[in-house]
């Protein structure tokens, strides 16, 4: 009888250990997600996508740059890829909160123009034709990248040489 009780006790201890490990792993995963969410706070509210509009009788294609946070975003690098190997880059020292439209190789739009109710480019949904990659530094000096069709990715801090 004592041997059976010992085996049951050992089994219960093993089950409790496994349950405790699973609970610990779930809690660690929850804390990791919370840390990522905090780290991505401003970065998750910054995006860029291909856009286009008709303005003054011309069809314009470029990039909508959107900073939905309350702070500046710094050292912004935008790459627009288009049909037939079209590739354009721009680097912006900072982007304030708001939405802006940049048209490469256009004298009237060489600097991003603010998107307003009167000037609202449409998103270009054909990712096979146009795509945008963006990298930037948030207000916490964290470097981020977002390639076309991929999630936001942390790229290090701007001052540790890893970005």
């Amino acid at each position: 009888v004592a041997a059976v009780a010992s085996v049951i006790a050992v089994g219960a201890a093993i089950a409790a250990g496994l349950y405790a490990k699973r609970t610990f792993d779930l809690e660690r995963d929850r804390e990791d997600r919370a840390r990522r969410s905090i780290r991505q706070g401003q970065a998750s509210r910054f995006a860029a996508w291909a856009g286009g509009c008709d303005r003054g009788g011309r069809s314009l294609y470029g990039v909508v740059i959107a900073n939905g946070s309350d702070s500046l975003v710094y050292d912004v690098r935008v790459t627009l890829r288009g049909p037939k190997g079209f590739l354009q880059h721009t680097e912006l020292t900072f982007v304030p909160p708001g939405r802006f439209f940049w048209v490469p190789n256009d004298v009237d739009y060489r600097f991003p123009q603010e998107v307003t109710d009167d000037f609202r480019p449409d998103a270009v949904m054909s990712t096979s034709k146009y795509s945008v990659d963006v990298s930037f530094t948030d207000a916490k000096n964290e470097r981020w990248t977002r390639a076309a069709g991929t999630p936001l990715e942390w790229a290090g801090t701007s001052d540790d040489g890893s970005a």
Side-chain angles (χ1 to χ4, degrees):
V1 174
V4 172
S6 295
V7 169
I8 292 173
V10 168
I14 290 171
L18 292 173
Y19 179 76
K21 182 181 179 340
R22 194 179 99 188
T23 302
F24 174 79
D25 290 345
L26 287 171
E27 183 63 20
R28 186 182 57 216
D29 289 346
R30 187 192 65 77
E31 288 174 359
D32 289 347
R33 283 192 306 274
R35 272 195 292 275
R36 264 194 313 273
S37 179
I38 290 168
R39 173 178 259 173
Q40 289 181 353
Q42 180 184 18
S44 66
R45 292 188 293 274
F46 185 82
W49 59 88
C53 65
D54 291 324
R55 183 106 172 168
R58 299 186 309 156
S59 292
L60 300 172
Y61 290 95
V63 178
V64 177
I65 302 166
N67 180 0
S69 75
D70 295 329
S71 300
L72 295 172
V73 171
Y74 302 92
D75 189 24
V76 178
R77 297 175 191 152
V78 178
T79 301
L80 173 64
R81 289 179 173 77
K84 299 177 184 167
F86 177 82
L87 183 68
Q88 287 294 317
H89 306 278
T90 192
E91 294 186 14
L92 305 168
T93 305
F94 66 89
V95 174
R99 285 189 180 197
F100 304 89
F101 187 55
W102 167 66
V103 179
N105 298 328
D106 190 292
V107 174
D108 296 329
Y109 295 92
R110 70 178 162 263
F111 300 109
Q113 303 293 308
E114 187 169 17
V115 173
T116 65
D117 287 339
D118 297 329
F119 177 59
R120 185 172 300 273
D122 296 320
V124 175
M125 301 294 189
S126 177
T127 56
S128 62
K129 276 190 174 180
Y130 292 95
S131 66
V132 176
D133 299 340
V134 65
S135 64
F136 59 94
T137 301
D138 67 15
K140 292 184 247 173
N141 211 30
E142 302 280 341
R143 190 85 187 139
W144 299 91
T145 61
R146 181 178 281 137
T150 65
L152 181 66
E153 185 174 317
W154 183 68
T157 57
S158 288
D159 59 358
D160 71 2
S162 63

